[in-house]
Amino acid sequence: MCAAKLRGMDQVLKMRPDGFRERGGEVTRMEAFVDAAFAFALTMLVISVGAIPDTVPKLIDAMKGIPAFAGSFALIAMFWSQHVTWSRRFGLDDGGSVRLSLLLVFLVMVFVYPLKAMAALLFGWLSGGWLPYGFSDDMTLDGLRTMFVLFAAGYGSMAVVISLLYLRAWRQRESLELSIDEQVGTIVRIVDGGKSVAVASLSVIVALLLPARPPQWLLGAPGMVYALMVFSGLLRAAVARRVRKQLLEKAA
C-alpha cells in the first residue's frame, strides 16, 4: 500500500479546484528539501552580480537585467509549482518518487545559469541590444547554437522528470484510488511532458540548421519555436477527450 493512502486513510480527502483529491496533506522532508533547493536556485538568479551599483548609469544597467531575471524566475517557478501540484495530488513518498524529485533538484541546479543566459539572449534580441545579452564577448553562431542546445536540454529534461513522476502515480492508480477524472488528468500530464520534449527537440533542430551567415531576424528562430507551447491547451483537451472515452468504455 502506498504512503499516500496510509496518510489519508483516517480522514476524508479534500477536493482540490483542479478536480484531484488532495492526498499529500502533509509536507514531507523530501518536499521541504525540494522547496529549499528551488528557493536557492532562484536566489542565484540575482539581477546584478558583484558590487552594488554606485552610479546612476550602473544602476540603470543593472535594472535592464530585470526582464531576463523575471523570465528565468518564472520558468523555474513553473517547474517548482508543477512539483508542488504533483505532491499535493498524490502524496507519494516512495523510493522512486524521491529519486525523481532529487533528479529534478539536480537538473535545476545544473541548468539555472543556462536558463538565465538564454532569457538574457532572448530579451537582448527582442530589444535590438538595448537590454543586455548577458555575455561580455561577442556571441558566435556556434555559441548561440550551444546555448539553444543547453536550454533545450534543461527544459526538456525537467519536463521529462515531471512526466515520470506522474507516470509513477499512474502505475499506482489502483492503490491511490484515482477517479476517472483524476486518471484523465494524470495521463494528460504525462503526454504534456512529451510535448515539451518535442518542442525542445524542434528548437535544437532549427538551431543546427541555421545558415552560416543568418540575418539578424533569423537568429531568434530556435527560441521562437517555443511559441508552439501556446497550443498546449488544445493538445490537453484533445488528449483528455480521447482518454476519457477509452476509460469510460473500459469501465462499462
Side-chain angles (χ1 to χ4, degrees):
M1 184 177 295
C2 67
K5 190 173 180 181
L6 287 173
R7 296 209 305 264
M9 286 180 63
D10 59 345
Q11 59 183 348
V12 178
L13 297 178
K14 181 176 66 175
M15 184 63 69
R16 293 169 48 87
D18 56 17
F20 278 76
R21 286 169 291 173
E22 187 167 305
R23 297 170 177 83
E26 300 177 4
V27 178
T28 65
R29 293 184 65 182
M30 175 50 60
E31 292 175 60
F33 175 77
V34 172
D35 291 346
F38 268 85
F40 178 73
L42 290 175
T43 62
M44 297 168 68
L45 298 174
V46 290
I47 298 176
S48 177
V49 179
I52 297 176
D54 55 1
T55 65
V56 173
K58 289 182 180 180
L59 177 61
I60 292 176
D61 288 340
M63 298 301 286
K64 286 182 178 180
I66 290 178
F69 173 79
S72 49
F73 184 100
L75 188 59
I76 292 177
M78 178 190 73
F79 283 107
W80 169 80
S81 178
Q82 290 177 355
H83 186 273
V84 169
T85 299
W86 172 84
S87 298
R88 299 281 69 78
R89 285 176 171 180
F90 306 111
L92 294 176
D93 196 27
D94 57 296
S97 299
V98 168
R99 287 190 290 271
L100 286 172
S101 296
L102 290 175
L103 177 58
L104 183 64
V105 168
F106 171 80
L107 290 171
V108 74
M109 299 299 288
V110 168
F111 289 104
V112 58
Y113 284 130
L115 292 179
K116 183 181 181 182
M118 183 53 66
L121 284 173
L122 171 64
F123 286 103
W125 176 73
L126 291 175
S127 66
W130 186 78
L131 294 175
Y133 284 99
F135 290 90
S136 58
D137 56 346
D138 294 332
M139 176 66 69
T140 64
L141 182 59
D142 287 339
L144 183 65
R145 288 183 176 133
T146 300
M147 290 305 305
F148 280 117
V149 170
L150 287 174
F151 179 83
Y155 179 83
S157 58
M158 286 190 283
V160 167
V161 172
I162 296 295
S163 290
L164 290 176
L165 286 169
Y166 274 88
L167 182 59
R168 289 199 63 81
W170 172 255
R171 290 174 174 172
Q172 301 183 50
R173 59 189 180 278
E174 293 184 359
S175 58
L176 288 170
E177 298 180 354
L178 297 184
S179 66
I180 294 293
D181 289 340
E182 289 173 326
Q183 292 184 50
V184 170
T186 302
I187 291 293
V188 167
R189 192 60 193 81
I190 295 172
V191 174
D192 205 43
K195 173 261 306 177
S196 297
V197 172
V199 172
S201 300
L202 180 59
S203 173
V204 171
I205 293 173
V206 173
L208 295 178
L209 292 178
L210 287 174
R213 297 180 180 275
Q216 187 69 22
W217 62 268
L218 191 59
L219 291 175
M224 294 300 101
V225 169
Y226 289 93
L228 294 173
M229 302 295 288
V230 300
F231 299 105
S232 295
L234 296 176
L235 176 62
R236 294 191 190 104
V239 172
R241 286 194 299 269
R242 182 171 182 178
V243 172
R244 185 183 304 277
K245 180 180 178 180
Q246 292 176 346
L247 291 176
L248 290 175
E249 290 176 349
K250 183 177 180 180

